[in-house]
Amino acid sequence: MTALNRAMGAFYGLALGDALGMPTQSLSRAEIKARFGEITDLEDAGPHQPIAANMPKGSITDDTEQAILVGQLLVEGGGKIEPAVLAQRLIDWEAVMRAKGSQDLLGPSTKRAIEMILAGHSPEEAGRYGTTNGAAMRITPVGIAANVADAGRFIQAVVQACQVTHNTTLGISSAAAVAAVISAGINGMDLGEALNLGQQIAQQAERHGHWVAGGRIASRISWARSISVDSDKAMLADLLYDVIGTSVASQESVVVSFALAQQVAIGEMNAFEALCMAASLGGDTDTIAAILGAMLGACLGLESWPVEMIDKVKVVNALELEPLVKGLLALR
């Protein structure tokens, strides 16, 4: 399997997970069960979706759009992201979303950081409160463009992409964990080993950023993976939702993505089944499924995703990611 195939698997896995979770995002597990049962296919959002009302099936959200934005900045900057430029692009992106009448706007950490930058604070200072999963959800292009084989340089690339909005121990270590799995997958590492490496890189990366209180990402990933191995598949979704949590907090949603990836690593589910479970969980389903899709796609390749669903996502969103992915791989 080529690096291009794996990188495409990662970026389209992100988009597919995002689209599967789009209709269920910010709903409770009970509401999802009542409305959809279990998610097994792309669904329309319907009129009562609080963030993406009436969006057609296959639509992507901010997760994929912001990952594309970061990818474009990386290619334009020859592998470097200028924090002020990232902030401006995010402001412009939100303005376009507002004009469309979308509720899918900047998350709480990103919004606060951008307000601080507009008020004249430095990028390092602006991101000091960012603990949510916003950095992890848009980190996929860094995983494609930077090689985790050189851990020091790799972590620097992650920090550069996170700093302006999520310059905290939790924001950076969660994004580093996700990016490391993607980068390791593109290097040809198998999924279980890549998850181990993601855990290690999370531990190294938490030396960066402002310290914030919260369960440590590496420790929680380790714990979640062991729970995942020991738990009965029928009970797993309840356990993830009730005990780990599925909110926008990095130490919940990013950790849940690793718990589900572990199920695939031990052969309890295939990649697509894991994405469907992520989309059915409740809470920040689109981001959990998007992060999971990127990690699984990088390790298992583009073939892990149903062709007709990827085609549907491409058509609905006018998405053609191959040129961007090739540009990112060239940086590697």
Side-chain angles (χ1 to χ4, degrees):
M1 205 188 301
T2 63
L4 178 61
N5 178 294
R6 290 165 180 278
M8 294 281 283
F11 226 133
Y12 278 115
L14 173 91
L16 177 61
D18 188 13
L20 284 165
M22 176 275 294
T24 57
Q25 61 181 320
S26 78
L27 298 178
S28 72
R29 193 155 158 63
E31 285 173 305
I32 293 168
K33 278 186 176 155
R35 227 177 266 189
F36 300 101
E38 293 289 322
I39 294 290
T40 56
D41 200 347
L42 297 166
E43 300 274 2
D44 292 313
H48 304 299
Q49 181 15 269
I51 296 174
N54 298 318
M55 276 174 83
K57 65 176 69 170
S59 301
I60 56 170
T61 76
D62 59 333
D63 301 71
T64 311
E65 291 190 357
Q66 290 186 27
I68 291 169
L69 183 151
V70 168
Q72 289 165 341
L73 282 179
L74 276 168
V75 172
E76 286 166 26
K80 294 261 190 291
I81 292 179
E82 203 51 65
V85 181
L86 174 58
Q88 188 56 53
R89 285 286 169 92
L90 288 168
I91 292 167
D92 296 345
W93 173 83
E94 188 178 55
V96 170
M97 295 301 277
R98 276 189 195 283
K100 282 200 272 191
S102 170
Q103 294 301 306
D104 219 343
L105 304 172
L106 296 173
S109 294
T110 301
K111 193 157 197 59
R112 182 171 186 174
I114 284 173
E115 282 165 359
M116 285 180 74
I117 282 181
L118 292 176
H121 293 271
S122 71
E124 294 76 17
E125 197 56 30
R128 70 171 304 153
Y129 304 105
T131 59
T132 53
N133 56 23
M137 85 176 192
R138 49 179 182 250
I139 205 70
T140 294
V142 175
I144 297 172
N147 193 339
V148 73
D150 182 342
R153 280 186 63 182
F154 180 79
I155 290 170
Q156 280 308 318
V158 171
V159 169
Q160 204 180 48
C162 297
Q163 194 178 48
V164 65
T165 58
H166 293 77
N167 193 16
T168 62
T169 46
L170 290 175
I172 291 171
S173 60
S174 61
V178 173
V181 176
I182 293 164
S183 186
I186 289 168
N187 286 343
M189 196 179 275
D190 85 4
L191 177 58
E193 288 298 309
L195 295 173
N196 291 341
L197 186 63
Q199 212 170 293
Q200 286 166 24
I201 294 288
Q203 202 162 358
Q204 292 173 39
E206 68 179 16
R207 299 181 198 132
H208 298 268
H210 295 271
W211 178 82
V212 278
R216 290 172 66 190
I217 298 295
S219 308
R220 281 180 68 88
I221 288 172
S222 172
W223 165 69
R225 288 173 67 197
S226 59
I227 290 181
S228 185
V229 170
D230 294 339
S231 96
D232 170 55
K233 195 171 161 186
M235 301 285 295
L236 181 67
D238 288 331
L239 193 68
L240 299 179
Y241 182 72
D242 295 338
V243 179
I244 299 176
T246 57
S247 77
V248 298
S250 309
Q251 66 272 36
E252 293 190 5
S253 41
V254 175
V255 170
V256 163
S257 302
F258 274 81
L260 286 167
Q262 185 65 31
Q263 286 284 304
V264 180
I266 61 175
E268 284 293 317
M269 296 182 196
N270 68 32
F272 181 68
E273 287 167 345
L275 281 199
C276 289
M277 183 178 275
S280 307
L281 277 178
D284 199 4
T285 48
D286 56 330
T287 300
I288 294 168
I291 289 171
L292 178 63
M295 295 195 296
L296 295 177
C299 294
L300 305 173
L302 192 54
E303 292 71 51
S304 33
W305 309 126
V307 175
E308 66 287 359
M309 282 194 203
I310 295 292
D311 287 345
K312 175 84 175 165
V313 170
K314 283 182 179 177
V315 169
V316 170
N317 304 287
L319 211 54
E320 189 38 74
L321 294 172
E322 193 164 339
L324 177 60
V325 169
K326 284 180 169 167
L328 292 166
L329 281 174
L331 295 171
R332 195 182 185 90

